[in-house]
Amino acid sequence: MNQMVNTWIEVCALTEIAPDTGACALINGQQVAVFRMREDNRIYAIGNHDPASGANVLSRGIVGDLQGERVVASPIYKQHYSLATGRCIEDAQYQVPAYPVQVVDGTIFVGSVPQKTYITTPQAREEKMRLVMVGNGLAGMRMLEELLEIAPDLYEIEVFGAEPHGNYNRIMLSPVLSGEKKLDDIMLHPHSWYAERGITFNAGDEVVKIDRKRRLVVGKSGYTTSYDRLVIATGSSPVVLPLPGRELDGVTTFRDIYDINKMIDASENYQHAVVIGGGLLGLEAAHGLNKRGMKVTVIHLMDRLMERQLDHVAADMLKTTLEQRGMRIELSAQTDKILGNERVTGILLKDGREIPADLVVMAVGIRPNIELAKSAGLHCERGVVVNDIMQTFDPRVYAVGECVQHRGIAYGLVEPLWGQAFVCATQLAERGSIQYRGTQLATQLKVSGVEVFSAGNLESDESCEDLVIRDPKRGIYKRLILNNNHVQGAVLYGDARDGSWYAELISEQTDISSIRNRLLFGRDFAMKQAS
């Protein structure tokens, strides 16, 4: 039997591969991933082809220690492959070839013939890895909580926050505006929380640059720090309409504590407020200002309020409720100009009408904050593009929250962000096997004190059936859209107790034929009768 002759093939200079990273080389027509370790400059070489995903990606994976072995994590499915032997830690059916390596006069050479075993003695990690998180909003901090629960001692952690505060619950800004809560009531992670856990917190120092080649993060203050793993959680920014007069005093968005304080100050000194946008945020702003005694007008471009969540009937009921509380609602209306000299005095609509305003609040949507990621050379579309384990184009860099685009979707609701945070935490803890597959969107909330729920597809056609209960006197409306004995969509107004159950039926596509006649009356009644 002829035995293949091993020859040493020159790859590159040792210094051309950064410590704890890999490079791809072509050895006898085969892609080989060559890795350089930081601690002792030891070099490893294994096949670049990940058999679990079928992609040539292992050279882009993250190296580390796992179960006493030095391994590389596939950037796609996160299986770990031993750098010494090529075996898959999680699944014995997967194996990649391991190649002999030597360094001569500062040049790396890889043997042309793979070998079955390549014995090495991995050294224990003496220093903690450095984890830096850019942003300290809801998604990022939820991820950090999960990580500290799973692997509290794995990283030395540093967090940058653009605002001087700790992490507060942005969902609860509306009660702060209406006077029902104060800032302290919605603070989730005060400065002391970071200090107690040994986390360096750079409050009020926005990150302005990420140097991926040198693995450095630079703050606006000029402060620079290094990372082994980086999490981008920069969130989103409110959309500002390009209207003449938008720079006037008294024009604001509804996104953070600064906006809330500006609105509260206006409510104490002025009378008329205009809110541009009849979605959830706009109505919450209107409700808060109304509670503080201002005369509020809501301007909405569409023909119904909350058109993404409500059908026409529920939207009409909501409009009636808000008008009964003293608000003015203008639908199918478009703002042409904001009036005033130094401070806003009103708005001009496209149809020529003028509406007085001492305060104008723009609440017309959000836009993922991706400029920092784009400037770092990461792949971005509408958001920072991530895979199913929340990795960006760079496998050392993860991203979570409203700045993220996953499978073409950028989420703006809380529930998807929690799922992203958990998956990201398990991956960073080096215990990851789960993946984020996306979230079936469902909205359950209180709009100006009214319970509202919606989920699924609310557009019905000839193949659909509508089940409806409407009680105007009690302010209750329920509509279920059925398609082939499955719930396709649901809208609840005034009573949303069974929203989570309907969302489950939609998500799992449960056959409801046996409970169809009782479906509208809620889970308890329907399931009790069925049993």
Side-chain angles (χ1 to χ4, degrees), residues 336-518:
D336 186 57
K337 183 179 181 181
I338 299 174
L339 307 174
N341 293 318
E342 293 183 2
R343 185 178 182 89
V344 60
T345 58
I347 65 164
L348 176 67
L349 298 180
K350 285 282 189 184
D351 60 14
R353 288 181 295 160
E354 290 188 16
I355 297 176
D358 307 301
L359 172 70
V360 172
V361 180
M362 291 192 192
V364 291
I366 57 175
R367 182 179 291 116
N369 288 328
I370 62 173
E371 293 308 315
L372 179 66
K374 284 179 68 176
S375 67
L378 294 172
H379 178 46
C380 299
E381 293 176 359
R382 183 184 174 197
V384 184
V385 176
V386 296
N387 59 18
D388 288 352
I389 55 174
M390 310 314 296
Q391 276 179 325
T392 67
F393 173 80
D394 183 338
R396 287 184 179 272
V397 182
Y398 294 74
V400 294
E402 292 178 342
C403 65
V404 158
Q405 179 179 316
H406 172 263
R407 297 192 180 193
I409 300 175
Y411 294 98
L413 298 174
V414 172
E415 186 178 353
L417 309 189
W418 287 172
Q420 294 177 7
F422 180 70
V423 170
C424 184
T426 59
Q427 301 299 330
L428 287 170
E430 299 183 345
R431 300 183 187 180
S433 59
I434 62 171
Q435 300 172 21
Y436 180 68
R437 300 293 194 182
T439 302
Q440 172 71 49
L441 292 179
T443 304
Q444 183 160 348
L445 37 83
K446 279 193 175 183
V447 182
S448 303
V450 179
E451 287 191 1
V452 172
F453 169 86
S454 71
N457 181 8
L458 305 185
E459 300 298 325
S460 60
D461 55 31
E462 294 179 355
S463 66
C464 298
E465 301 176 82
D466 279 12
L467 304 183
V468 177
I469 290 179
R470 184 176 183 185
D471 188 341
K473 197 166 186 179
R474 293 170 57 209
I476 291 176
Y477 169 72
K478 298 181 180 182
R479 176 188 172 212
L480 302 178
I481 300 98
L482 307 185
N483 192 331
N484 193 26
N485 285 323
H486 297 90
V487 182
Q488 170 186 297
V491 181
L492 308 178
Y493 180 91
D495 180 1
R497 286 174 295 179
D498 290 296
S500 59
W501 180 52
Y502 293 132
E504 182 181 316
L505 295 178
I506 295 170
S507 178
E508 297 181 0
Q509 281 297 281
T510 305
D511 187 326
I512 52 83
S513 54
S514 63
I515 57 172
R516 181 187 182 284
N517 294 339
R518 299 178 294 277

Side-chain angles (χ1 to χ4, degrees), residues 6-67:
N6 184 45
T7 57
W8 293 102
I9 298 175
E10 181 178 339
V11 174
C12 64
L14 177 65
T15 54
E16 289 185 44
I17 301 180
D20 284 350
T21 64
C24 183
L26 197 63
I27 306 295
N28 285 350
Q30 299 297 317
Q31 290 192 23
V32 175
V34 183
F35 299 93
R36 174 187 173 191
M37 305 305 292
R38 177 189 298 272
E39 293 173 349
D40 54 9
N41 271 337
R42 179 165 288 182
I43 305 299
Y44 296 90
I46 62 174
N48 191 42
H49 184 77
D50 173 15
S53 66
N56 294 315
V57 293
L58 292 185
S59 63
R60 292 182 51 234
I62 297 175
V63 295
D65 299 324
L66 186 67
Q67 300 177 9

Side-chain angles (χ1 to χ4, degrees), residues 94-110:
Y94 296 130
Q95 176 87 19
V96 295
Y99 293 79
V101 183
Q102 64 179 4
V103 179
V104 180
D105 296 331
T107 299
I108 300 172
F109 291 84
V110 175

